[in-house]
């Protein structure tokens, strides 16, 4: 039993996926959520398969999530971090990739500060490649887990809801956020109406041309009250060379979701955040831990989505001859 | 490419009669009726488990707990297919510890599906016993697995011949029949 149309060899970016493939990933992730609640949280599906987490940037949450996902599927998971790899000794990325390939991984999960690295690896490795964040470009697994979380939030009686017609407001540093980069591609694909809010310094100039269906606002008040979901982005000071706002306090006052603002949200609206949270800056702790928050659901869904991505990419035969024969 | 031929092996009445026999055999064999529960293997086993439950419940005087098992994640041939494997939901909303579980499937063939189903069940608990009910046993076993309750035994050639047995049920196909496709 299978669907040929939806064959997913790599997960490089949302821009590379069609709706059918996205639906396959979300449907598969929903099944994997059930495994997380079992007495034995492990299935033998990827036994004997090797998953390599190649993280050139610091990450605990995403790497751990991929690691847990791989282990729950019985894959062997090894982690390479940027600081421990030979890149720090002058080795090129291509050398690192070729050395990795000699270990015969079935899937490489890569995070890099440089946009495009997953594509480069996919062209040069014989195995599947999953993008865990490339520069300021995309973070597809985060957007997919956000979509799964929103489907849960909009559903009822355990059945997933649709994002069609729902208004999602993304607040913060759109320019430096790869989470936004993937969500701006995924959410409209699923039928949601998306509005981005942030100071002019944090929203790319070509935003309206690049994403014609997306609304842009530079004021949070008046732009979030009709939202079905508000996605607060983290202020990523490590990726910002020049300050884009005067002080944390001013940012919080103008673009933070505090208690008073959260009370103006629609009754069933939910609040998302990709984490880690700068508490008190983009999000008040009482909102982050409040009833509208689905932040911990995002973490749980993150494991399920990453299980789906590993299953769908490492779970089929990547033999080039067979893939060639398929077409 | 030659056109494939369908031959009806069982009609609706024969399927009903087979299920009657299977239900009676389950009641006779079950030593611990309080522990009895049914688990249908997706997809064909699920409506059959429902139909068996409808026959067993009046005899037992209680609602019978039923679960749904998807065995995709436990298959030993996942990586051999060229198509994207699709995994369906598993629903077991009751504990299996010390239960008398009857696994229900539509067609028993190589035994690999049943092996995967047993592996999956064991991850949910340790049943007292697992029995196997199949509407059709078409032979051709590749593993040492035998059914406990069978509706119809067919004597078909071993694997390698291009023969397929399909169970069509009202719930999924709009009519009840078992067909041999050759």
């Amino acid at each position: 039993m299978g669907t040929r149309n939806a064959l997913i060899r790599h997960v490089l970016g949302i821009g590379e996926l069609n709706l059918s493939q996205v639906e396959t990933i979300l449907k598969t992730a929903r099944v994997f959520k059930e495994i997380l609640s079992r007495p034995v949280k492990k299935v033998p599906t990827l036994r004997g398969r090797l998953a390599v987490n190649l993280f050139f940037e610091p990450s605990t949450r995403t790497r751990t999530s991929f690691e847990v996902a791989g282990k729950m599927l019985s894959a062997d998971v090894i982690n390479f971090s940027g600081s421990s790899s030979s890149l720090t000794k002058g080795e090129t990325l291509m050398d690192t990739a070729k050395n990795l390939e000699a270990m015969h991984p079935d899937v490489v999960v890569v995070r890099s500060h440089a946009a495009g690295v997953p594509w480069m690896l996919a062209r040069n490795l014989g195995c599947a490649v999953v993008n865990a964040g490339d520069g300021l470009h995309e973070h597809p697994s985060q957007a997919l887990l956000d979509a799964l979380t929103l489907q849960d939030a909009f559903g009822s009686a355990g059945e997933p809801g649709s994002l069609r017609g729902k208004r999602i407001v993304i607040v913060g540093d759109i320019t430096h956020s790869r989470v936004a980069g993937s969500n701006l591609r995924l959410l409209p694909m699923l039928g949601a109406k998306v509005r981005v809010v942030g100071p002019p310094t944090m929203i790319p100039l070509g935003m309206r041309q690049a994403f014609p269906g997306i609304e842009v606002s530079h004021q949070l008040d008046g732009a979030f009250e009709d939202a079905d979901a508000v996605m607060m982005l983290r202020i990523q000071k490590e990726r910002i060379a020049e300050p884009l706002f005067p002080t944390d306090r001013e940012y919080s006052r103008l673009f933070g979701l505090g208690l008073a603002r959260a009370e103006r949200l629609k009754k069933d609206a939910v609040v998302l955040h990709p984490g880690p949270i700068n508490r008190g800056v983009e999000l008040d702790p009482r909102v982050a831990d409040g009833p509208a928050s689905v932040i911990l659901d995002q973490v749980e869904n993150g494991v399920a989505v990453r299980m789906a991505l590993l299953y769908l990419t490492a779970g089929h035969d990547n033999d080039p001859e067979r893939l060639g024969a398929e077409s | 490419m030659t056109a494939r031929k369908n031959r009806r092996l069982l009609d609706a009445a024969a399927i009903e009669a087979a299920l009657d026999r299977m239900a009676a055999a389950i009641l006779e064999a079950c030593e611990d009726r309080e522990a009895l529960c049914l688990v249908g293997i997706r997809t064909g086993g699920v409506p059959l488990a429902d139909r068996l439950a409808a026959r067993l419940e009046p005899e037992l005087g209680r609602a019978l707990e039923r679960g749904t098992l998807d065995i995709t994640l436990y298959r030993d041939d996942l990586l051999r297919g060229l198509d994207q494997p699709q995994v369906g939901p598993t629903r077991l909303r009751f504990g299996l510890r010390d239960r008398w579980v009857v696994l229900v499937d539509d067609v028993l063939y190589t035994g690999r599906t049943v092996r995967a189903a047993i592996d999956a069940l064991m991850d949910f608990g340790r049943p007292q016993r697992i029995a196997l009910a199949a509407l059709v046993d078409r032979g051709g076993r590749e593993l040492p697995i035998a059914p406990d309750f069978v509706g119809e035994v067919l004597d078909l050639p071993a694997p390698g011949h291009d023969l397929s047995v399909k169970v069509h049920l009202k719930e999924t196909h709009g009519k009840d029949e078992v067909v041999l496709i050759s």
Side-chain angles (χ1 to χ4, degrees):
Chain A
M1 184 169 55
T3 47
R4 190 168 289 247
N5 293 343
L7 190 70
I8 298 163
R9 189 166 182 220
H10 307 287
V11 178
L12 303 176
I14 298 297
E16 306 276 309
L17 299 172
N18 60 37
L19 181 60
S20 161
Q21 291 171 322
V22 164
E23 285 171 345
T24 296
I25 292 168
L26 294 176
K27 190 175 157 203
T28 308
R30 198 162 289 288
V31 172
F32 283 125
K33 274 184 78 167
E34 180 267 322
I35 293 171
L36 303 178
S37 62
R38 288 186 188 181
V40 176
K41 299 173 186 58
K42 199 175 181 79
V43 289
T45 315
L46 295 185
R47 193 175 55 192
R49 297 259 135 178
L50 176 61
V52 174
N53 285 334
L54 182 60
F55 276 61
F56 296 118
E57 269 189 357
S59 163
T60 304
R61 176 177 314 244
T62 304
R63 187 189 55 72
T64 307
S65 186
F66 271 108
E67 187 173 349
V68 169
K71 287 180 173 172
M72 284 185 167
L73 291 170
S74 300
D76 294 309
V77 184
I78 56 172
N79 296 311
F80 280 93
S81 65
S83 57
S84 64
S85 81
S86 294
L87 283 177
T88 55
K89 299 175 189 167
E91 184 175 85
T92 66
L93 178 63
M94 189 57 83
D95 283 339
T96 302
K98 288 295 174 193
N99 278 294
L100 268 180
E101 190 172 29
M103 298 174 198
H104 301 285
D106 296 287
V107 56
V108 169
V109 178
V110 62
R111 167 172 285 196
S112 169
H113 66 280
V117 165
W119 278 259
M120 193 276 265
L121 291 181
R123 275 199 305 274
N124 289 284
L125 296 180
C127 66
V129 175
V130 175
N131 183 358
D134 67 318
L136 308 181
H137 181 217
E138 279 232 39
H139 193 351
S141 63
Q142 177 70 42
L144 289 160
L145 75 87
D146 290 340
L148 193 68
T149 307
L150 290 168
Q151 284 184 336
D152 288 346
F154 301 148
S156 62
E159 292 300 316
S162 169
L163 273 64
R164 189 152 296 281
K166 298 289 184 183
R167 183 169 293 287
I168 318 290
V169 175
I170 305 177
V171 185
D173 186 358
I174 307 297
T175 305
H176 295 93
S177 172
R178 53 196 174 202
V179 174
S182 285
N183 268 310
L184 290 175
R185 291 170 171 89
L186 180 62
L187 297 175
M189 192 197 293
L190 295 171
K193 294 185 236 169
V194 181
R195 180 184 293 150
V196 297
V197 182
T201 50
M202 289 182 161
I203 294 187
L205 281 176
M207 184 81 211
R208 287 186 175 88
Q209 289 73 36
F211 298 97
I214 306 286
E215 291 177 33
V216 177
S217 173
H218 298 304
Q219 270 202 321
L220 187 54
D221 289 323
F224 77 98
E225 291 89 342
D226 62 344
D228 298 291
V230 181
M231 192 177 290
M232 305 302 295
L233 299 177
R234 187 170 68 87
I235 301 300
Q236 302 182 72
K237 293 177 180 171
E238 74 277 11
R239 288 191 211 149
I240 306 173
E242 301 288 329
L244 300 176
F245 51 87
T247 63
D248 283 358
R249 178 182 283 193
E250 181 178 309
Y251 182 86
S252 178
R253 186 169 59 79
L254 294 174
F255 295 100
L257 190 59
L259 206 52
R261 279 203 176 107
E263 283 168 359
R264 283 159 37 206
L265 282 167
K266 280 163 60 173
K267 190 167 77 60
D268 296 327
V270 290
V271 176
L272 297 92
H273 192 293
I277 306 167
N278 292 309
R279 285 178 177 257
V281 182
E282 65 261 7
L283 203 52
D284 187 299
R286 292 166 292 181
V287 180
D289 303 327
S293 170
V294 289
I295 294 169
L296 292 179
D297 299 299
Q298 289 176 274
V299 178
E300 183 186 359
N301 287 336
V303 176
V305 160
R306 284 153 186 146
M307 287 171 85
L309 297 183
L310 294 177
Y311 170 72
L312 293 169
T313 55
H316 63 78
D317 201 329
N318 274 314
D319 182 330
E321 284 186 20
R322 294 191 66 173
L323 287 169
E326 195 182 346
S327 57
Chain B
M1 193 163 116
T2 54
R4 306 204 75 186
K5 284 183 287 191
N6 283 14
R7 183 158 67 89
R8 182 186 279 183
L9 301 173
L10 299 180
D11 60 13
I15 290 174
E16 289 296 301
L19 287 167
D20 287 343
R21 289 194 301 274
M22 290 165 73
I26 290 169
L27 282 174
E28 193 181 328
C30 184
E31 296 134 11
D32 186 354
R33 291 187 174 192
E34 285 305 304
L36 181 64
C37 60
L38 301 180
V39 174
I41 300 176
R42 287 187 75 242
T43 52
V46 177
L48 290 173
D50 289 342
R51 292 200 199 181
L52 284 172
R55 287 164 165 80
L56 294 168
E57 283 174 350
E59 300 294 327
L60 294 168
R62 68 176 177 90
L64 203 51
E65 285 158 317
R66 264 165 290 159
T68 300
L69 199 63
D70 185 279
I71 54 94
T72 312
L73 299 172
Y74 291 80
R75 290 170 67 110
D76 59 4
D77 60 351
L78 169 72
L79 307 170
R80 295 175 62 194
L82 290 172
D83 289 354
Q84 195 82 71
Q86 284 192 315
V87 51
T90 287
R91 291 196 180 90
L92 281 170
R93 299 199 170 107
F94 52 92
L96 291 185
R97 188 174 171 185
D98 296 333
R99 301 304 297 267
W100 219 93
V101 181
V102 177
L103 263 178
V104 184
D105 204 358
D106 51 358
V107 181
L108 176 59
Y109 183 25
T110 62
R112 290 175 190 274
T113 298
V114 176
R115 182 210 64 85
I118 294 168
D119 281 353
L121 275 183
M122 291 300 192
D123 280 354
F124 285 88
R126 187 180 183 280
Q128 180 190 148
R129 180 173 171 189
I130 300 173
L132 173 63
L135 180 66
V136 177
D137 178 0
R138 60 160 289 181
R141 215 78 75 239
E142 293 174 354
L143 297 174
I145 283 172
D148 297 277
F149 314 108
V150 188
E152 189 75 20
V153 178
L154 304 176
D155 187 18
L156 295 180
H161 294 263
D162 195 14
L163 293 174
S164 176
V165 175
K166 296 287 179 199
V167 173
H168 297 155
L169 298 170
K170 275 183 287 202
E171 296 89 332
T172 49
H173 295 80
K175 62 178 174 181
D176 281 352
E177 62 176 6
V178 176
V179 291
L180 175 67
I181 303 170
S182 56

